[in-house]
């Protein structure tokens, strides 16, 4: 148990440059506390003590501002940074070394009692405010930009941004380290506008060439008269 606690604390120190000591992480990181609450709640849940599981989950939500359903399956070294407003649904599955920022929802889109929440594979990064909705898979090493709304499968190592989320970059090789530089994510709208401007400038150049040719021909005709 103590080895697992040490692993949790070390994972925060590895991924948050603001973490100065293990004591600070132990007492002052609600994302870590939410995971610990969930482990106990999940233990009761899988043993059919459903009320105790939900009650502990509710206490954890009250204390941390992070709501994790006790039925959710969470791997090792999950890092919930800041965490306020994070919601993880009952049938969500999260792999190892995943990073989730505040305001993220791993939600469902069905009222049926079946798999209805996403599966997030290992080493994925989900930016603040992103909504991942549905029983599909976010591939290993994928990155989801802040405030994106993702409603379909995300390939491994891909980068998704926008509403609805679209794949804007497919990594050739998986990253060995989580990439937190969301400001460097591609902007598909800006790229499309830039392409339109390039086409407009090319049309203007061609128009100017045609205008020059027309003027030249006009002068020759007038001179021939």
């Amino acid at each position: 148990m103590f080895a697992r606690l040490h692993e949790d604390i070390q994972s925060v120190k590895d991924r948050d440059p603001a973490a100065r000591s293990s004591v600070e992480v132990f007492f002052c990181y609600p994302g870590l506390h939410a995971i610990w609450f969930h482990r106990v709640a999940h233990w009761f849940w899988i043993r059919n003590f459903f009320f105790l599981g939900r009650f502990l989950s509710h206490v954890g939500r009250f204390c941390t501002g992070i709501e994790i359903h006790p039925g959710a399956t969470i791997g090792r070294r999950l890092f919930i940074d800041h965490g306020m407003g994070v919601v993880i649904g009952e049938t969500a599955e999260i792999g190892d070394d995943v990073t989730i920022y505040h305001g993220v929802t791993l939600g469902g889109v069905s009222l049926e009692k079946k798999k209805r929440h996403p599966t997030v594979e290992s080493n994925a990064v989900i930016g603040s405010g992103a909504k991942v909705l549905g029983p599909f898979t976010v591939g290993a090493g994928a990155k989801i930009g802040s405030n994106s709304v993702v409603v379909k499968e995300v390939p491994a190592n891909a980068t998704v941004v926008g509403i609805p989320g679209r794949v804007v970059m497919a990594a050739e090789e998986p990253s060995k380290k989580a990439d937190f530089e969301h400001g460097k994510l591609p902007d598909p709208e800006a790229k499309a506008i830039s392409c339109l401007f390039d086409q407009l400038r090319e049309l203007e150049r061609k128009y100017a060439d045609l205008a020059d040719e027309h003027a030249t021909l006009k002068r020759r005709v007038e001179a021939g008269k």
Side-chain angles (χ1 to χ4, degrees):
M1 182 183 73
F2 290 107
R4 190 72 181 273
L5 293 177
H6 179 267
E7 179 183 75
D8 293 333
I9 293 170
Q10 189 59 45
S11 72
V12 174
K13 293 171 69 177
D14 290 341
R15 285 182 272 178
D16 186 0
R20 292 174 174 80
S21 69
S22 297
V23 173
E24 178 185 352
V25 172
F26 184 88
F27 285 103
C28 303
Y29 275 70
L32 198 57
H33 303 155
I35 293 167
W36 292 342
F37 269 110
H38 172 73
R39 282 191 192 144
V40 180
H42 185 68
W43 188 91
F44 282 109
W45 185 266
I46 61 178
R47 287 164 177 78
N48 297 325
F49 295 103
F50 298 121
F51 173 76
L52 284 174
R54 286 305 301 267
F55 180 75
L56 285 172
S57 173
H58 185 69
V59 172
R61 176 179 181 270
F62 178 81
C63 294
T64 66
I66 299 166
E67 182 170 344
I68 306 176
H69 193 284
T73 302
I74 296 177
R76 302 173 78 94
R77 298 176 297 278
L78 170 64
F79 176 39
I80 303 177
D81 195 12
H82 300 292
M84 181 62 71
V86 167
V87 177
I88 299 174
E90 177 186 7
T91 60
E93 299 174 58
I94 300 175
D96 298 335
D97 299 298
V98 171
T99 300
I100 294 176
Y101 286 89
H102 59 279
V104 166
T105 298
L106 303 183
V109 292
S110 171
L111 298 178
E112 298 182 32
K113 293 186 177 182
K114 61 180 184 179
K115 171 68 172 172
R116 58 190 186 278
H117 299 91
T119 295
V120 181
E121 294 185 342
S122 298
N123 297 299
V125 178
I126 305 180
S128 57
K131 314 301 176 189
V132 186
L133 309 173
F136 54 84
T137 298
V138 176
K143 291 183 288 185
I144 296 176
S146 297
N147 294 317
S148 298
V149 178
V150 183
V151 293
K152 60 183 180 181
E153 199 94 359
V154 178
N157 307 309
T159 299
V160 172
V161 300
I163 304 174
R166 297 180 297 280
V167 175
V168 295
M169 181 183 295
E172 295 181 358
E173 294 186 9
S175 173
K176 295 181 180 179
K177 188 175 181 180
D179 182 359
F180 304 111
E181 297 190 51
H182 301 292
K184 294 184 179 180
L185 293 182
D187 186 339
E189 285 80 11
K191 184 176 181 180
I193 293 170
S194 177
C195 289
L196 287 174
F197 274 116
D198 290 341
Q199 293 178 20
L200 179 60
R201 284 190 286 268
E202 181 64 16
L203 288 171
E204 289 175 341
R205 185 188 64 77
K206 290 181 177 180
Y207 174 79
D209 291 343
L210 288 172
D212 289 342
E213 290 180 13
H214 179 267
T216 301
L217 288 172
K218 185 177 180 180
R219 285 194 297 270
R220 288 177 180 175
V221 170
E222 290 176 350
K225 291 180 179 179

